Amino acid sequence: MSTPKASPSLDRTTAAPFVEVLVDCPGTDKLFTYRVPSDLSIQPGDILSVPFGAQQVGAIAIRFLADLPPELATTRILKVVDVACRTLFPPGYWQLLEKVAAYYHTSLMAVIRVALPPGLLQRSQRRIRLNTTLHPHDINGLGAAAQGILALLQQSPSQDYTWQYLRRQIKKAQVGLRELQQQGLVESYLQTQAPTKPRQQQAVTLTDPSAPDLTVRQQEILTLLKHEGGELWAQDLLRLAHTSSTTLKKLASKGCITLHQQERLRLETSPIQPDQPRTLTPDQAGVLAQIHRLQDYAEVLLHGVTGSGKTEVYLQAITPVLARKQSVIVLVPEIGLTPQLTDRFRSRFGDRIRVYHSALSDGERYDTWRQFLTSTPQVVIGTRSAIFAPIANIGLVILDEEHDTGYKQDQPAPCYHARTVARWRAQQADCPLILGSATPCLESWSQTPPANPKPSQASIHYLRLPRRVHARPMPPIEIVDMRLELADRNHSIFSRLLQKRLHSLQQNRQQGLLFMPRRGHSTFVSCRSCGYVSECPHCSVSLTYHHSPDSRQTLLRCHYCNYAQPQPEVCPVCKSSYFRFFGSGTQRVMEELAKTFPELRVIRFDSDTTRRKGAHRQLLNQFARGEADLMVGTQMLTKGIDLPQVQLIGVLAADSLLNIPDFRASERTFQTLLQVAGRAGRGEHPGQVLLQTYAPEHPVIQAVQKYEMDSFLFAELKQRQEANYPPFHQLILLRISGLNEMMVEKTALEIANYLHAYIHTHCYQGTILGPAPANILRVARRYYWHVLIKRPQTEMGQTELWPFPMQGCQRRCPQNIRLQVDVDPLKLL
Ligand code: ADP
Ligand code: ZN
Ligand code: ZN
């Protein structure tokens, strides 16, 4: 484990007698000073064990002191207990974390908690084990301490002890250990807590499907189980058969099935076929040639339609980087996407792939993280926190689906965006950053030459893949006007056209996706006859419906500025009194499907059914094997499903997206709908997309139908400029929360007033919006209020630096009120 170049801070030795550390204890963010025992050598970045209050906790060595500050009494300074983990972070790594903390206005410790794997700081133990592949030739040549350690380890049944134990047993153990390590006779490693136990889970096995006097329902369940191969996890059967555990127990008592505990394996390895680079299409080759030309830091927006072969470009861009013995970070937005993608990377690069995401177990995460610290060239694939992988010598950073909101962390702090951090990392490593997407976000696109009147201001190269591989056409998009359905007395959530298509799906042995866009708990009201939706007169976002049991009047409220108005009795445009209250999810769609199309085999794919580890892969495989006709899901369905047999895509209500109370609603809808459409027609047949809406004439719906990207982006950019939104203004959202509603409101008001006065006295440009109650006012007994700050950027991406007065805001927060700062927020609800 070695890093070729150490940063200046890592060169410092521990001649100094005191070390300042960051202690991993929630709520403590300042540095604490400890004495360095004479037999310990410590370097900045080392993970230490230190006494803290009554406990021993993890800490990170930050810097050394030759003398104590006068206010600290020497006698009260405690000693570092041990080095839990020697970690040679790559050069500049700490500066990166400090930059994140400064930009997002959080503590360094909060950033460290995101960056390091869980358990590393907490209660981890350094252990020493005998290297059994090497036999000591000349024990007598070793020092006494080394011999002592060796003897102890040889006695231990596992040939392994904690370092703390060895130090207590052997004098000058540190010297001995160094000697043994130099000769490669022992190695030291870190053991995290939480020893892993095999996971047991209830399984169901079919034993006798033909028992007498079974009800129809019971027979159905047994038939389903038989179709699934006679064995299923109980929870899967309950879900698939919509049944209860009581029913299963009854079936077990009749001897039809057995219920038993079985180990569930944690590994998700799939056999990988080695794979060769494809011959590139002329478009791909052109793009790749331009990427190869980049040497130093440069940012590239790779704008390729769905199925245009972006992934193949990434793979071939990575090959020469690895050949140069450099490493690569590839970020993907969500784990639902990674099985297929990581398989493709694995088959190309084999064991140089490291997959890192939060769905790994703590142990897996820790083991993978340790691999980062080795100097082997590697490709890290992971979700947003993988941008903090402490690998050295990075030659390329890639963000796939760069527009995806999954790259932003909203809770807990730091509320970082992986794209922003990726930019800093690429700058630090002086290597290219590739942002790939079929639907780039406005922030990125606005910095490319096509969006800039003065190309000299464009900071991002723009590369385009305008066609699908094999010249497959994009699927045609049909719009269904749901207002006409109502007029013709069709009250179902499925239009007549969609019903027809669903009927023929099974007959023609085809498969389809039904997509129910939904975001959070956003609820809005739309006129069922004309599609009218109330908007805030100040903020151009839709108003949100508030169901308040104690007030007789229903209020529509703006979540940016707190403007409110009563819900009108009749539509102000067409005078109809029929309103539709949006906000229902996949559950309801499943129920309707079961009623209208009982013969259709349906898989539900949303955050509820994919929560379990490996569930994404399992459901996708089931669907890919043709075990269902239809997959029903939320946004998640848009992510990277690449199934050639998908023919039909139905979008149930595009309006749920259009009317989220967010200034990015149009952009999000556009992106989501195009991503959804991109799932169809990936095989031989072109496929078809059916889009139901109450607002067929809406510019976004129109642009989507015609696949009109550029004109949409230009129009959107213009609107952002007029309304002072990003990328022209920067937003900072303050979330103020607490258990006492009055207190939260009062604090929010005080902070807003303070900020008003602050920008006024300094003559700063900008606006303070709110305070306004959050959309979901109360979460986990806490009340949330928001204050939104808009401050201008001088040039694209360059914040005009009026400093955000974090301390002034914090001073206005009483003890039991929490203030959270979200810089560049994506969720404003
Ligand atoms: P994107 O990432 O842009 O959606 P992919 O890289 O997934 O596109 O490519 C879509 C499909 O086309 C995949 O099945 C991929 O294997 C295939 N493909 C990509 N590039 C080529 C190529 N040059 N020749 C043949 N097939 C290709
Ligand atoms: Zn109306
Ligand atoms: Zn408003």
Side-chain angles (χ1 to χ4, degrees), residues 379-415:
V379 180
V380 178
I381 301 184
T383 45
R384 61 175 181 249
S385 71
I387 195 57
F388 294 109
I391 49 173
N393 202 4
I394 300 173
L396 178 64
V397 182
I398 297 172
L399 244 94
D400 190 30
E401 309 288 352
E402 66 91 32
H403 64 278
D404 199 286
T405 51
Y407 284 125
K408 179 73 161 64
Q409 172 147 320
D410 337 276
Q411 299 263 22
C415 303

mmCIF file of all heavy atoms in Angstrom, residues 379-415:
data_model
loop_
_atom_site.group_PDB
_atom_site.id
_atom_site.type_symbol
_atom_site.label_atom_id
_atom_site.label_comp_id
_atom_site.label_asym_id
_atom_site.label_seq_id
_atom_site.Cartn_x
_atom_site.Cartn_y
_atom_site.Cartn_z
ATOM 1 N N VAL A 379 -11.111 0.572 -11.681
ATOM 2 C CA VAL A 379 -12.278 1.335 -12.111
ATOM 3 C C VAL A 379 -13.316 1.243 -11.005
ATOM 4 O O VAL A 379 -13.836 0.174 -10.714
ATOM 5 C CB VAL A 379 -12.871 0.781 -13.426
ATOM 6 C CG1 VAL A 379 -14.073 1.603 -13.844
ATOM 7 C CG2 VAL A 379 -11.825 0.774 -14.522
ATOM 8 N N VAL A 380 -13.589 2.369 -10.381
ATOM 9 C CA VAL A 380 -14.586 2.401 -9.314
ATOM 10 C C VAL A 380 -15.919 2.744 -9.947
ATOM 11 O O VAL A 380 -16.040 3.763 -10.623
ATOM 12 C CB VAL A 380 -14.231 3.482 -8.276
ATOM 13 C CG1 VAL A 380 -15.297 3.547 -7.203
ATOM 14 C CG2 VAL A 380 -12.867 3.228 -7.678
ATOM 15 N N ILE A 381 -16.922 1.873 -9.758
ATOM 16 C CA ILE A 381 -18.274 2.203 -10.211
ATOM 17 C C ILE A 381 -19.144 2.339 -8.988
ATOM 18 O O ILE A 381 -19.201 1.425 -8.168
ATOM 19 C CB ILE A 381 -18.875 1.097 -11.089
ATOM 20 C CG1 ILE A 381 -17.983 0.874 -12.289
ATOM 21 C CG2 ILE A 381 -20.264 1.475 -11.553
ATOM 22 C CD1 ILE A 381 -18.545 -0.118 -13.255
ATOM 23 N N GLY A 382 -19.815 3.450 -8.847
ATOM 24 C CA GLY A 382 -20.636 3.582 -7.660
ATOM 25 C C GLY A 382 -21.614 4.719 -7.746
ATOM 26 O O GLY A 382 -21.629 5.478 -8.712
ATOM 27 N N THR A 383 -22.430 4.800 -6.714
ATOM 28 C CA THR A 383 -23.373 5.900 -6.607
ATOM 29 C C THR A 383 -22.646 7.110 -6.011
ATOM 30 O O THR A 383 -21.446 7.050 -5.788
ATOM 31 C CB THR A 383 -24.556 5.495 -5.724
ATOM 32 O OG1 THR A 383 -24.036 4.849 -4.578
ATOM 33 C CG2 THR A 383 -25.467 4.543 -6.456
ATOM 34 N N ARG A 384 -23.396 8.169 -5.722
ATOM 35 C CA ARG A 384 -22.747 9.471 -5.521
ATOM 36 C C ARG A 384 -21.595 9.479 -4.533
ATOM 37 O O ARG A 384 -20.589 10.150 -4.760
ATOM 38 C CB ARG A 384 -23.779 10.539 -5.139
ATOM 39 C CG ARG A 384 -24.508 10.229 -3.861
ATOM 40 C CD ARG A 384 -25.424 11.358 -3.434
ATOM 41 N NE ARG A 384 -26.049 10.978 -2.203
ATOM 42 C CZ ARG A 384 -27.360 10.688 -2.068
ATOM 43 N NH1 ARG A 384 -28.173 10.815 -3.092
ATOM 44 N NH2 ARG A 384 -27.824 10.297 -0.918
ATOM 45 N N SER A 385 -21.666 8.712 -3.445
ATOM 46 C CA SER A 385 -20.592 8.828 -2.459
ATOM 47 C C SER A 385 -19.282 8.218 -2.964
ATOM 48 O O SER A 385 -18.226 8.454 -2.383
ATOM 49 C CB SER A 385 -20.997 8.176 -1.137
ATOM 50 O OG SER A 385 -21.040 6.785 -1.280
ATOM 51 N N ALA A 386 -19.346 7.468 -4.064
ATOM 52 C CA ALA A 386 -18.120 6.904 -4.628
ATOM 53 C C ALA A 386 -17.202 7.993 -5.174
ATOM 54 O O ALA A 386 -16.031 7.743 -5.431
ATOM 55 C CB ALA A 386 -18.455 5.900 -5.732
ATOM 56 N N ILE A 387 -17.726 9.202 -5.327
ATOM 57 C CA ILE A 387 -16.867 10.293 -5.790
ATOM 58 C C ILE A 387 -15.794 10.581 -4.733
ATOM 59 O O ILE A 387 -14.769 11.182 -5.015
ATOM 60 C CB ILE A 387 -17.689 11.562 -6.130
ATOM 61 C CG1 ILE A 387 -16.867 12.551 -6.952
ATOM 62 C CG2 ILE A 387 -18.234 12.255 -4.904
ATOM 63 C CD1 ILE A 387 -16.307 12.027 -8.245
ATOM 64 N N PHE A 388 -16.031 10.121 -3.514
ATOM 65 C CA PHE A 388 -15.048 10.314 -2.448
ATOM 66 C C PHE A 388 -14.082 9.141 -2.321
ATOM 67 O O PHE A 388 -13.298 9.094 -1.374
ATOM 68 C CB PHE A 388 -15.760 10.528 -1.103
ATOM 69 C CG PHE A 388 -16.549 11.804 -1.043
ATOM 70 C CD1 PHE A 388 -17.932 11.787 -1.038
ATOM 71 C CD2 PHE A 388 -15.902 13.033 -1.002
ATOM 72 C CE1 PHE A 388 -18.668 12.971 -0.976
ATOM 73 C CE2 PHE A 388 -16.626 14.219 -0.944
ATOM 74 C CZ PHE A 388 -18.004 14.180 -0.933
ATOM 75 N N ALA A 389 -14.150 8.187 -3.230
ATOM 76 C CA ALA A 389 -13.244 7.039 -3.147
ATOM 77 C C ALA A 389 -11.806 7.549 -3.103
ATOM 78 O O ALA A 389 -11.384 8.291 -3.987
ATOM 79 C CB ALA A 389 -13.440 6.139 -4.355
ATOM 80 N N PRO A 390 -11.041 7.172 -2.069
ATOM 81 C CA PRO A 390 -9.703 7.742 -1.922
ATOM 82 C C PRO A 390 -8.684 7.061 -2.824
ATOM 83 O O PRO A 390 -7.649 6.596 -2.354
ATOM 84 C CB PRO A 390 -9.397 7.505 -0.441
ATOM 85 C CG PRO A 390 -10.181 6.292 -0.099
ATOM 86 C CD PRO A 390 -11.413 6.306 -0.951
ATOM 87 N N ILE A 391 -8.964 7.000 -4.120
ATOM 88 C CA ILE A 391 -7.968 6.404 -5.011
ATOM 89 C C ILE A 391 -7.022 7.496 -5.499
ATOM 90 O O ILE A 391 -7.399 8.649 -5.643
ATOM 91 C CB ILE A 391 -8.583 5.675 -6.229
ATOM 92 C CG1 ILE A 391 -9.615 6.550 -6.923
ATOM 93 C CG2 ILE A 391 -9.201 4.370 -5.817
ATOM 94 C CD1 ILE A 391 -10.099 5.924 -8.207
ATOM 95 N N ALA A 392 -5.784 7.078 -5.727
ATOM 96 C CA ALA A 392 -4.770 8.014 -6.201
ATOM 97 C C ALA A 392 -4.689 7.914 -7.716
ATOM 98 O O ALA A 392 -5.207 6.969 -8.313
ATOM 99 C CB ALA A 392 -3.430 7.666 -5.582
ATOM 100 N N ASN A 393 -4.056 8.890 -8.321
ATOM 101 C CA ASN A 393 -3.712 8.803 -9.726
ATOM 102 C C ASN A 393 -4.935 8.566 -10.623
ATOM 103 O O ASN A 393 -5.009 7.598 -11.372
ATOM 104 C CB ASN A 393 -2.686 7.678 -9.899
ATOM 105 C CG ASN A 393 -1.890 7.840 -11.176
ATOM 106 O OD1 ASN A 393 -2.047 8.829 -11.888
ATOM 107 N ND2 ASN A 393 -1.053 6.866 -11.462
ATOM 108 N N ILE A 394 -5.889 9.441 -10.526
ATOM 109 C CA ILE A 394 -7.113 9.324 -11.322
ATOM 110 C C ILE A 394 -6.860 9.893 -12.718
ATOM 111 O O ILE A 394 -6.306 10.976 -12.848
ATOM 112 C CB ILE A 394 -8.272 10.092 -10.657
ATOM 113 C CG1 ILE A 394 -8.542 9.522 -9.271
ATOM 114 C CG2 ILE A 394 -9.527 10.050 -11.506
ATOM 115 C CD1 ILE A 394 -9.544 10.312 -8.472
ATOM 116 N N GLY A 395 -7.255 9.142 -13.737
ATOM 117 C CA GLY A 395 -7.027 9.596 -15.107
ATOM 118 C C GLY A 395 -8.296 9.997 -15.828
ATOM 119 O O GLY A 395 -8.250 10.589 -16.910
ATOM 120 N N LEU A 396 -9.454 9.679 -15.241
ATOM 121 C CA LEU A 396 -10.724 9.992 -15.907
ATOM 122 C C LEU A 396 -11.856 9.860 -14.898
ATOM 123 O O LEU A 396 -11.858 8.954 -14.075
ATOM 124 C CB LEU A 396 -10.947 9.009 -17.072
ATOM 125 C CG LEU A 396 -12.243 9.121 -17.883
ATOM 126 C CD1 LEU A 396 -12.316 10.461 -18.608
ATOM 127 C CD2 LEU A 396 -12.350 7.984 -18.889
ATOM 128 N N VAL A 397 -12.810 10.788 -14.972
ATOM 129 C CA VAL A 397 -14.013 10.692 -14.144
ATOM 130 C C VAL A 397 -15.213 10.745 -15.078
ATOM 131 O O VAL A 397 -15.255 11.562 -15.999
ATOM 132 C CB VAL A 397 -14.095 11.847 -13.115
ATOM 133 C CG1 VAL A 397 -15.326 11.693 -12.237
ATOM 134 C CG2 VAL A 397 -12.837 11.910 -12.257
ATOM 135 N N ILE A 398 -16.175 9.829 -14.875
ATOM 136 C CA ILE A 398 -17.364 9.779 -15.731
ATOM 137 C C ILE A 398 -18.616 9.846 -14.863
ATOM 138 O O ILE A 398 -18.704 9.163 -13.847
ATOM 139 C CB ILE A 398 -17.398 8.458 -16.544
ATOM 140 C CG1 ILE A 398 -16.191 8.380 -17.476
ATOM 141 C CG2 ILE A 398 -18.696 8.349 -17.336
ATOM 142 C CD1 ILE A 398 -16.032 7.039 -18.174
ATOM 143 N N LEU A 399 -19.553 10.691 -15.247
ATOM 144 C CA LEU A 399 -20.865 10.714 -14.592
ATOM 145 C C LEU A 399 -21.886 10.289 -15.626
ATOM 146 O O LEU A 399 -22.158 11.043 -16.567
ATOM 147 C CB LEU A 399 -21.216 12.130 -14.152
ATOM 148 C CG LEU A 399 -21.356 12.423 -12.678
ATOM 149 C CD1 LEU A 399 -20.020 12.932 -12.192
ATOM 150 C CD2 LEU A 399 -22.414 13.472 -12.445
ATOM 151 N N ASP A 400 -22.454 9.101 -15.463
ATOM 152 C CA ASP A 400 -23.466 8.656 -16.404
ATOM 153 C C ASP A 400 -24.811 9.237 -15.975
ATOM 154 O O ASP A 400 -25.063 9.376 -14.782
ATOM 155 C CB ASP A 400 -23.524 7.129 -16.421
ATOM 156 C CG ASP A 400 -24.392 6.611 -17.555
ATOM 157 O OD1 ASP A 400 -24.467 7.299 -18.590
ATOM 158 O OD2 ASP A 400 -24.997 5.547 -17.401
ATOM 159 N N GLU A 401 -25.673 9.548 -16.913
ATOM 160 C CA GLU A 401 -26.984 10.153 -16.616
ATOM 161 C C GLU A 401 -26.788 11.363 -15.715
ATOM 162 O O GLU A 401 -27.367 11.444 -14.633
ATOM 163 C CB GLU A 401 -27.913 9.134 -15.929
ATOM 164 C CG GLU A 401 -28.032 7.799 -16.628
ATOM 165 C CD GLU A 401 -28.821 7.863 -17.919
ATOM 166 O OE1 GLU A 401 -29.410 8.908 -18.221
ATOM 167 O OE2 GLU A 401 -28.807 6.857 -18.641
ATOM 168 N N GLU A 402 -25.980 12.299 -16.190
ATOM 169 C CA GLU A 402 -25.560 13.406 -15.347
ATOM 170 C C GLU A 402 -26.719 14.271 -14.869
ATOM 171 O O GLU A 402 -26.585 15.000 -13.894
ATOM 172 C CB GLU A 402 -24.534 14.273 -16.073
ATOM 173 C CG GLU A 402 -25.053 15.013 -17.305
ATOM 174 C CD GLU A 402 -25.591 16.401 -17.021
ATOM 175 O OE1 GLU A 402 -25.067 17.044 -16.096
ATOM 176 O OE2 GLU A 402 -26.522 16.840 -17.710
ATOM 177 N N HIS A 403 -27.875 14.193 -15.549
ATOM 178 C CA HIS A 403 -29.017 15.024 -15.163
ATOM 179 C C HIS A 403 -29.746 14.467 -13.951
ATOM 180 O O HIS A 403 -30.637 15.100 -13.414
ATOM 181 C CB HIS A 403 -30.011 15.061 -16.331
ATOM 182 C CG HIS A 403 -30.559 13.693 -16.607
ATOM 183 N ND1 HIS A 403 -29.873 12.762 -17.363
ATOM 184 C CD2 HIS A 403 -31.675 13.068 -16.166
ATOM 185 C CE1 HIS A 403 -30.569 11.648 -17.400
ATOM 186 N NE2 HIS A 403 -31.666 11.799 -16.673
ATOM 187 N N ASP A 404 -29.395 13.267 -13.530
ATOM 188 C CA ASP A 404 -30.208 12.568 -12.542
ATOM 189 C C ASP A 404 -30.133 13.227 -11.163
ATOM 190 O O ASP A 404 -29.060 13.556 -10.675
ATOM 191 C CB ASP A 404 -29.751 11.122 -12.433
ATOM 192 C CG ASP A 404 -30.802 10.258 -11.796
ATOM 193 O OD1 ASP A 404 -30.987 10.352 -10.557
ATOM 194 O OD2 ASP A 404 -31.464 9.516 -12.529
ATOM 195 N N THR A 405 -31.292 13.367 -10.533
ATOM 196 C CA THR A 405 -31.328 14.051 -9.237
ATOM 197 C C THR A 405 -30.765 13.172 -8.116
ATOM 198 O O THR A 405 -30.506 13.662 -7.033
ATOM 199 C CB THR A 405 -32.764 14.441 -8.854
ATOM 200 O OG1 THR A 405 -33.578 13.275 -8.979
ATOM 201 C CG2 THR A 405 -33.287 15.516 -9.760
ATOM 202 N N GLY A 406 -30.581 11.883 -8.408
ATOM 203 C CA GLY A 406 -29.989 10.996 -7.413
ATOM 204 C C GLY A 406 -28.558 11.385 -7.051
ATOM 205 O O GLY A 406 -28.028 10.918 -6.052
ATOM 206 N N TYR A 407 -27.953 12.245 -7.842
ATOM 207 C CA TYR A 407 -26.590 12.683 -7.530
ATOM 208 C C TYR A 407 -26.544 13.703 -6.403
ATOM 209 O O TYR A 407 -25.488 14.048 -5.915
ATOM 210 C CB TYR A 407 -25.929 13.286 -8.775
ATOM 211 C CG TYR A 407 -25.489 12.240 -9.749
ATOM 212 C CD1 TYR A 407 -25.899 12.254 -11.066
ATOM 213 C CD2 TYR A 407 -24.644 11.210 -9.338
ATOM 214 C CE1 TYR A 407 -25.493 11.274 -11.958
ATOM 215 C CE2 TYR A 407 -24.247 10.230 -10.220
ATOM 216 C CZ TYR A 407 -24.661 10.266 -11.517
ATOM 217 O OH TYR A 407 -24.265 9.294 -12.384
ATOM 218 N N LYS A 408 -27.720 14.192 -6.031
ATOM 219 C CA LYS A 408 -27.746 15.211 -4.989
ATOM 220 C C LYS A 408 -28.166 14.562 -3.690
ATOM 221 O O LYS A 408 -29.148 13.833 -3.647
ATOM 222 C CB LYS A 408 -28.751 16.295 -5.382
ATOM 223 C CG LYS A 408 -28.909 17.419 -4.383
ATOM 224 C CD LYS A 408 -27.691 18.335 -4.397
ATOM 225 C CE LYS A 408 -27.958 19.694 -3.795
ATOM 226 N NZ LYS A 408 -28.284 19.704 -2.397
ATOM 227 N N GLN A 409 -27.442 14.845 -2.646
ATOM 228 C CA GLN A 409 -27.853 14.377 -1.320
ATOM 229 C C GLN A 409 -28.641 15.487 -0.646
ATOM 230 O O GLN A 409 -28.178 16.613 -0.567
ATOM 231 C CB GLN A 409 -26.603 14.036 -0.504
ATOM 232 C CG GLN A 409 -26.906 13.730 0.948
ATOM 233 C CD GLN A 409 -25.954 12.691 1.523
ATOM 234 O OE1 GLN A 409 -25.588 11.725 0.878
ATOM 235 N NE2 GLN A 409 -25.548 12.899 2.748
ATOM 236 N N ASP A 410 -29.867 15.181 -0.182
ATOM 237 C CA ASP A 410 -30.616 16.228 0.532
ATOM 238 C C ASP A 410 -30.523 16.064 2.028
ATOM 239 O O ASP A 410 -30.707 17.016 2.761
ATOM 240 C CB ASP A 410 -32.108 16.262 0.207
ATOM 241 C CG ASP A 410 -32.472 15.654 -1.099
ATOM 242 O OD1 ASP A 410 -32.376 16.354 -2.091
ATOM 243 O OD2 ASP A 410 -32.859 14.472 -1.107
ATOM 244 N N GLN A 411 -30.350 14.883 2.507
ATOM 245 C CA GLN A 411 -30.301 14.635 3.936
ATOM 246 C C GLN A 411 -29.366 13.483 4.167
ATOM 247 O O GLN A 411 -29.424 12.539 3.395
ATOM 248 C CB GLN A 411 -31.676 14.204 4.476
ATOM 249 C CG GLN A 411 -32.760 15.183 4.299
ATOM 250 C CD GLN A 411 -32.988 16.032 5.525
ATOM 251 O OE1 GLN A 411 -32.098 16.172 6.353
ATOM 252 N NE2 GLN A 411 -34.149 16.599 5.630
ATOM 253 N N PRO A 412 -28.566 13.425 5.165
ATOM 254 C CA PRO A 412 -28.208 14.550 6.031
ATOM 255 C C PRO A 412 -27.134 15.391 5.355
ATOM 256 O O PRO A 412 -26.717 15.084 4.240
ATOM 257 C CB PRO A 412 -27.618 13.827 7.239
ATOM 258 C CG PRO A 412 -27.012 12.589 6.668
ATOM 259 C CD PRO A 412 -27.870 12.205 5.511
ATOM 260 N N ALA A 413 -26.684 16.441 6.051
ATOM 261 C CA ALA A 413 -25.607 17.268 5.522
ATOM 262 C C ALA A 413 -24.364 16.389 5.358
ATOM 263 O O ALA A 413 -24.204 15.431 6.110
ATOM 264 C CB ALA A 413 -25.324 18.412 6.490
ATOM 265 N N PRO A 414 -23.480 16.653 4.459
ATOM 266 C CA PRO A 414 -23.477 17.730 3.481
ATOM 267 C C PRO A 414 -24.428 17.460 2.317
ATOM 268 O O PRO A 414 -24.473 16.351 1.803
ATOM 269 C CB PRO A 414 -22.031 17.714 2.963
ATOM 270 C CG PRO A 414 -21.602 16.291 3.106
ATOM 271 C CD PRO A 414 -22.297 15.788 4.338
ATOM 272 N N CYS A 415 -25.174 18.487 1.914
ATOM 273 C CA CYS A 415 -26.099 18.340 0.804
ATOM 274 C C CYS A 415 -25.323 18.536 -0.488
ATOM 275 O O CYS A 415 -25.511 19.511 -1.204
ATOM 276 C CB CYS A 415 -27.215 19.365 0.909
ATOM 277 S SG CYS A 415 -28.111 19.264 2.445
#
